[in-house]
Amino acid sequence: MSGGPDSHDTSVERLTPVARRLLLLRHGQTEYNADSRMQGQLDTDLSELGVRQAAAAATVLAKRSPLLIRSSDLRRAHDTALALGEESGLEVTTDIRLRETHLGDWQGMTHLEVDQIAPGARRVWRDDATWGPPGGETRVDVAGRAAPVVAELVDALPEWGTGDNPDAPVVLVAHGGVIAAMTAALLDLPIGSWPVFGGLANTSWVQLSGHGVPGEAPRWRLDVWNASAEDADPGVQ
């Protein structure tokens, strides 16, 4: 017997699709970035410009009313995340799995220095997600440790994509290499296609939407790549 107009059909509720918004934000500029020096997992600080970039991104992204902010534990990402946390009124948690790609023997070297000791190696690295610098990680390695962070958050946050503000995003603050690898993995792209994602500017972000019904793994779609505070608000300097 069917219920009256006030009855609550939980089976319908369970089958109602949701779209979880995920923002992947790259950290602000560091002096290593400015000098074309490879950081990897070296723990560097934001430059003065990087601090301003983080503040500008925070002003724009706080308007999205984030549901949660999680960051790499490396200072350049964590400090970028803290700027958004302060603007949003949210605590920032860290996860070591969101660290940048370990670049092995290349860490601390400039692009030119790498090219001198290993001509053509950086091109191979850019074009092959299964190849890593000597002593370092591949993009496939990076995705293997970082992408599970998202799956765990889907399970831990039943309110993500629902409630009074279903568009409230989860924000992960990380690094260019990690974000590119995570994006490719979440979209389930063939590994040979992973290099399609180019560089991500400092404090630019990626938005993905995870579509599906509660209780099931979402199917991720790419909404935005390499957006910035300047794109979102021309008045931000």
Side-chain angles (χ1 to χ4, degrees):
M1 180 175 179
S2 61
D6 294 330
S7 65
H8 184 64
D9 190 340
T10 56
S11 64
V12 172
E13 183 179 85
R14 286 195 300 271
L15 294 175
T16 301
V18 297
R20 301 170 177 88
R21 312 299 180 189
L22 174 66
L23 293 180
L24 306 176
L25 172 65
R26 188 187 178 204
H27 61 81
Q29 187 206 61
T30 68
E31 296 298 340
Y32 271 53
N33 292 144
D35 294 339
S36 296
R37 191 173 294 277
M38 307 189 78
Q39 295 171 105
Q41 293 190 3
L42 297 178
D43 200 6
T44 57
D45 290 307
L46 296 176
S47 64
E48 291 183 6
L49 174 58
V51 172
R52 295 196 300 272
Q53 290 173 330
T59 298
V60 171
L61 294 180
K63 297 175 183 177
R64 301 280 300 273
S65 300
L67 180 64
L68 175 145
I69 305 169
R70 186 160 296 175
S71 170
S72 157
D73 65 329
L74 297 178
R75 288 195 303 271
R76 58 191 184 272
H78 192 215
D79 287 347
T80 301
L82 289 173
L84 177 57
E86 182 175 354
E87 192 74 19
S88 305
L90 292 178
E91 180 183 358
V92 173
T93 58
T94 61
D95 194 316
I96 193 173
R97 293 173 294 176
L98 296 176
R99 283 185 175 187
E100 180 59 297
T101 310
H102 197 296
L103 296 178
D105 295 348
W106 292 0
Q107 292 194 158
M109 300 176 68
T110 67
H111 295 176
L112 288 177
E113 288 169 344
V114 173
D115 291 344
Q116 288 172 353
I117 65 168
R122 285 198 307 120
R123 179 184 57 77
V124 174
W125 176 54
R126 286 195 304 267
D127 294 343
D128 184 353
T130 67
W131 191 90
E137 294 179 293
T138 70
R139 264 171 290 177
V140 173
D141 294 333
V142 173
R145 63 169 161 83
V149 174
V150 178
E152 292 167 14
L153 288 171
V154 169
D155 291 338
L157 298 171
E159 68 274 31
W160 190 4
T162 65
D164 294 336
N165 186 8
D167 288 330
V170 163
V171 182
L172 302 182
V173 185
H175 311 264
V178 177
I179 291 172
M182 289 178 69
T183 299
L186 291 172
L187 294 176
D188 199 23
L189 295 183
I191 290 175
S193 298
W194 285 23
V196 70
F197 293 113
L200 195 66
N202 290 116
T203 57
S204 288
W205 61 85
V206 175
Q207 178 178 303
L208 297 102
S209 294
H211 296 263
V213 297
E216 295 182 4
R219 184 170 182 83
W220 293 96
R221 302 174 186 171
L222 179 64
D223 298 330
V224 174
W225 177 266
N226 211 18
S228 69
E230 288 75 16
D231 296 332
D233 184 352
V236 174
Q237 300 296 324

